[in-house]
């Protein structure tokens, strides 16, 4: 019989010791949640420490990621490749035990948590992915996808507004395999959470359509285990288990105080805590009996072996589906993807349509969503504006029984109505991507990328393939005015390391942007798209678009023999640059026009290619309807941009008012040359 009290105390001791050694960290949360962890990880969690990527494992998310020593202790104790030396190096350079858990760094960590509220929102995305994969792949007598998503969260996650967005959607989608355990300890950094946080959390979650199990003693592992067992029987609702706990449990002088939250206990208090807990072992010392009680390697191996048999039987009866499931969980694109991408770009080039780039995106999506069943789209209540829906992506719907509704031909919905929840949408997409099996994309107006921004940053940090469709990308949207007109947004998104930002200028560039985004298995992308129509820019070749920038038009195409300057443009301003090129030719000034749909991608090209596109001996002038700051890194002699907020007026009036005319661009080039 396992000694659950000793199992919990092992977590408390490791948390105290690691934080003390690092002289940095948060011991209180792991100490308070230790018994909850014993209940979940000791009794219910389906996982295999020897294969952290087993497809049918339960997902565990520590949303209150500052309590990272809880998950590091659990991973070490249950048998993951996380030796005690890594715990001793907690929060040190290049250790596998960072201050907050990081996916891809520590085996067994499912998502990077730290910004509060995003972990539970990622968990909603994971549970959604599980539900949709089950609806798509499970067959009568052959249950291939069948696992739970568990999340620990605290008061900070509850306070962050994103938890409202995500948990409301979890209730609407009836994610019955999502089980959240709330560490209800009433303490935050500033002390008692009241009077600043007085929500009736159980009633709040009941209103979302959750099953709520209230007032569970979070220090009674058996009681928590029973609550989890009851939650697993829910057929049509996610479950919140409210665990009443004491932060810093076991510490005589720090328990139930803010002091336990974010600083080491100190050597003397650790000594007193060891005595109070009856823990007689030294720092980082765990007795073999406790390791034995925690060891999950044998049970994990057995669980995965049983699923392997299930998969083998499934593969025998449904070989194509089994192959498709394997491909998608690996994140691999179909073998014919390159041809699909070529077809989409060539079709755009051949048709040479004049459409808004948001419409060009939808045209490209028709190709890609038809060929890639893993594409899971959506919009934050702007589907008709973002144009993220296609013929291949019916709306996702869940019936009253909690089942995913299928179309007449047996397909599941693949376009999500997220409602006005940009931040929630962005972090849910991160969870979907982390789970595997789908490539999520979602749309809103570019200005509202501000709401999504921290989740976009997290996608880049975690190297997840998530695609953001941002429409209405400039003052070109017109009468809605400065609240909706993006100025600094493209420039600020370009500053996020690891995020590819695309601002395509026509249908071919948009198709290529989508193709590259889908191929980028380890980075997110943002497509910034126009509301206004854009003429097609004739091209000799499509192959260099994927390099982020290419020579679109040489001076010879407007009758000039010599090149005096280079005009760099993005998106809707490519047409402006081409018109200015003609005007400048009349003044006997030869200009090369470079279209640069993605500065990020261009910056990764070879020095030779960059020199070919932007010769060092020619002055450069950039044109973009947005903040000018980012363009000076290219050594520009001038930038035609906008560093003020917009105005409310029809787009053509605004273009003239702010100087986005061919004449002003030509004059700017002329003036820059006179200064040489």
């Amino acid at each position: 019989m396992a000694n659950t009290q000793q199992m919990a105390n092992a977590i408390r001791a490791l948390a105290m010791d690691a934080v003390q050694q690092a002289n940095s960290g948060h011991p209180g949360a792991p100490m308070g949640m230790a018994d909850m962890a014993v209940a979940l990880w000791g009794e219910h969690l389906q996982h295999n420490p020897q294969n952290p990527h087993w497809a049918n494992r339960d997902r565990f998310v520590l949303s209150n990621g500052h309590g990272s020593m809880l998950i590091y202790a659990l991973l070490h104790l249950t048998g993951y490749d996380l030796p005690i030396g890594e715990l001793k190096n907690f929060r040190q350079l290049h250790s596998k035990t960072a201050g907050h858990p990081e996916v891809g760094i520590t085996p067994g960590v499912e998502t990077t948590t730290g910004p509060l509220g995003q972990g539970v929102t990622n968990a909603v995305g994971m549970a959604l992915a599980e539900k949709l994969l089950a609806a798509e792949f499970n067959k009568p007598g052959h249950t291939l996808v069948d696992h739970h998503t568990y999340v620990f969260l605290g008061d900070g996650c509850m306070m962050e507004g994103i938890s409202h967005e995500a948990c409301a959607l979890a209730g609407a989608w009836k994610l019955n395999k999502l089980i959240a355990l709330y560490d209800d300890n009433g303490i935050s950094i500033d002390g008692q959470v009241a009077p600043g946080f007085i929500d009736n959390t159980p009633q709040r979650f009941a209103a979302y359509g959750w099953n709520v199990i209230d007032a569970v003693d979070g220090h009674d592992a058996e009681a928590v285990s029973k609550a989890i067992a009851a939650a697993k029987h829910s057929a049509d609702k996610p479950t919140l288990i409210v665990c009443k706990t004491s932060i810093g449990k076991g510490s005589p002088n720090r328990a139930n105080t803010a002091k336990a939250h974010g600083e080491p206990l100190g050597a003397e208090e650790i000594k007193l805590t060891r005595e109070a807990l009856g823990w007689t072992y030294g720092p980082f010392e765990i007795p073999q009996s406790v390791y034995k009680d925690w060891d999950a390697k044998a049970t994990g191996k057995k669980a995965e072996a049983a699923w392997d048999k299930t998969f083998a039987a499934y593969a025998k009866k449904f070989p194509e589906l089994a192959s498709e499931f394997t491909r998608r969980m690996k994140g691999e694109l179909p073998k014919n993807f390159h041809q699909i991408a070529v077809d989409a770009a060539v079709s755009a080039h051949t048709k040479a349509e004049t459409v808004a780039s948001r419409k060009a995106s939808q045209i490209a999506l028709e190709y890609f969503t038809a060929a890639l069943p893993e594409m899971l789209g959506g919009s934050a209540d702007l589907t008709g504006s973002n144009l993220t829906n296609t013929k291949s992506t019916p709306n996702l719907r869940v019936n009253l029984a909690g089942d995913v509704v299928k179309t007449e031909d047996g397909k599941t919905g693949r376009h999500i109505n997220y409602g006005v929840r940009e931040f929630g949408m962005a972090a849910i997409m991160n969870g979907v991507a982390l789970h595997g099996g789908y490539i999520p994309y979602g749309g809103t107006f570019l200005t509202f990328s501000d709401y999504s921004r921290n989740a976009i940053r997290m996608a880049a940090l975690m190297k997840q393939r998530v695609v953001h469709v941002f429409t209405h990308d400039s003052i070109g949207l017109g009468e809605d005015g400065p609240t909706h007109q993006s100025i600094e947004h493209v420039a600020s998104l370009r500053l996020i390391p690891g995020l590819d930002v695309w601002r395509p200028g026509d249908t071919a560039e948009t198709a290529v942007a989508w193709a590259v985004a889908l191929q980028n298995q380890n980075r997110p992308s943002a497509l910034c798209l126009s509301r206004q129509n854009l003429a097609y820019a004739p091209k000799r070749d499509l192959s260099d678009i994927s390099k982020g920038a290419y020579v679109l038009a040489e001076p010879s195409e407007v009758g000039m023999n010599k090149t005096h300057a280079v005009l760099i443009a993005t998106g809707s301003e490519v047409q402006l640059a081409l018109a200015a090129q003609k005007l400048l030719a009349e003044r006997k000034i030869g200009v090369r026009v470079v279209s640069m749909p993605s500065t990020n991608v261009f910056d990764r090209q070879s020095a030779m290619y960059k020199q070919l596109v932007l010769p060092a001996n020619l002055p450069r002038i950039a044109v973009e309807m947005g903040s000018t700051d980012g363009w000076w890194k290219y050594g520009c002699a001038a930038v035609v941009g906008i560093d003020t907020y917009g105005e409310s007026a029809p787009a053509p009036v605004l273009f003239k008012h702010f100087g986005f005319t061919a004449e002003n661009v030509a004059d700017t080039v002329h003036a820059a040359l006179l200064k040489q």
Side-chain angles (χ1 to χ4, degrees), residues 183-507:
D183 177 32
D184 184 13
N185 62 43
I187 297 290
S188 66
I189 293 172
D190 285 350
Q192 294 284 339
V193 295
F197 179 55
I198 60 166
D199 299 20
N200 187 321
T201 299
Q203 286 186 13
R204 171 186 160 190
F205 275 73
Y208 292 148
W210 284 55
N211 170 40
V212 179
I213 302 175
D214 194 10
V216 176
D217 181 354
H219 298 304
D220 182 342
E222 187 178 351
V224 176
S225 181
K226 284 180 179 176
I228 296 169
K232 286 160 79 173
H233 288 296
S234 175
D236 61 349
K237 293 178 181 178
T239 298
L240 178 73
I241 302 172
V242 181
C243 299
K244 301 290 185 180
T245 64
S246 298
I247 192 170
K249 171 73 172 175
S251 171
N253 300 302
R254 294 285 183 92
N256 290 315
T257 72
K259 274 279 189 184
H261 175 82
E263 60 184 64
L265 296 183
E268 184 58 32
E269 186 65 16
I270 288 175
K271 180 173 175 288
L272 294 173
T273 304
R274 275 182 151 79
E275 291 171 2
L277 293 173
W279 187 259
T280 58
Y281 310 100
F284 299 103
E285 184 185 343
I286 305 294
Q288 285 305 311
S289 60
V290 173
Y291 274 124
K292 186 179 178 183
D293 286 345
W294 269 118
D295 192 351
K297 293 194 292 293
T299 54
K301 186 177 180 181
K302 185 178 176 183
E304 184 174 357
W307 184 81
D308 286 344
K309 282 186 180 178
T310 299
F311 184 79
Y314 182 91
K316 193 172 182 180
K317 189 158 188 182
F318 310 104
E320 289 183 6
L321 279 175
S323 176
E324 181 73 353
F325 178 81
T326 301
R327 175 187 73 79
R328 284 170 52 176
M329 290 306 291
K330 284 181 178 177
E332 295 173 353
L333 295 175
K335 286 188 171 63
N336 63 338
F337 178 80
H338 179 72
Q339 191 57 51
I340 297 159
V342 169
D343 290 346
V346 169
S347 172
H349 180 63
T350 305
K351 292 177 181 176
E353 293 174 284
T354 295
V355 294
S357 53
R358 62 172 174 162
K359 182 62 181 177
S361 170
Q362 188 178 46
I363 292 168
L365 278 171
E366 289 290 358
Y367 275 88
F368 293 119
T369 57
L372 276 67
E374 60 264 43
M375 289 185 71
L376 182 65
S379 171
D381 201 47
L382 288 167
T383 301
S385 293
N386 301 149
L387 305 182
T388 44
N389 57 331
T390 70
K391 295 184 184 74
S392 302
T393 57
N395 286 328
L396 170 66
R397 294 291 181 263
V398 178
N399 65 23
L400 291 175
D403 300 318
V404 176
V405 177
K406 296 193 176 184
T407 60
E408 289 180 6
D409 58 351
K411 299 287 174 60
T412 57
R414 290 168 55 200
H415 190 271
I416 300 170
N417 301 108
Y418 284 100
V420 188
R421 300 182 177 98
E422 295 88 356
F423 193 8
M425 174 178 71
I428 285 170
M429 289 197 296
N430 289 351
V432 169
L434 285 158
H435 180 280
Y438 292 100
I439 300 173
Y441 66 95
T444 187
F445 288 174
L446 177 57
T447 310
F448 305 141
S449 64
D450 285 337
Y451 286 131
S452 311
R453 187 178 180 89
N454 202 266
I456 299 170
R457 181 180 188 270
M458 293 305 293
L461 179 63
M462 296 189 288
K463 300 179 180 177
Q464 294 302 304
R465 177 169 45 194
V466 176
V467 185
H468 292 270
V469 178
F470 293 128
T471 67
H472 297 60
D473 70 343
S474 71
I475 60 170
L477 69 87
E479 293 86 343
D480 275 344
T483 60
H484 285 51
Q485 290 167 4
S486 297
I487 301 298
E488 75 281 15
H489 297 84
V490 174
S492 69
L493 287 170
R494 286 173 179 149
L495 292 175
I496 297 177
L499 174 70
D500 278 358
V501 181
W502 290 86
R503 190 165 182 257
D506 60 20
T507 51

Side-chain angles (χ1 to χ4, degrees), residues 105-124:
I105 302 295
T106 315
V109 169
E110 299 284 2
T111 179
T112 300
T113 53
L116 292 174
Q118 286 198 59
V120 65
T121 310
N122 293 165
V124 171

Side-chain angles (χ1 to χ4, degrees), residues 496-544:
I496 297 177
L499 174 70
D500 278 358
V501 181
W502 290 86
R503 190 165 182 257
D506 60 20
T507 51
E509 288 188 2
T510 307
V512 171
W514 264 111
V516 175
L518 291 168
Q519 286 173 298
N520 279 340
Q521 196 169 346
N522 298 312
R523 66 173 66 232
S525 301
L527 276 61
C528 303
L529 309 167
S530 75
R531 176 181 184 248
Q532 73 272 30
N533 285 345
L534 309 179
Y536 188 77
K539 300 167 181 55
R540 292 186 303 272
D541 190 2
L542 302 176
S543 60
D544 285 341

Side-chain angles (χ1 to χ4, degrees), residues 146-159:
D146 181 19
H147 53 267
H148 286 81
T149 301
Y150 296 98
V151 55
F152 280 12
L153 71 162
D155 291 309
C157 295
M158 291 294 190
M159 291 186 223

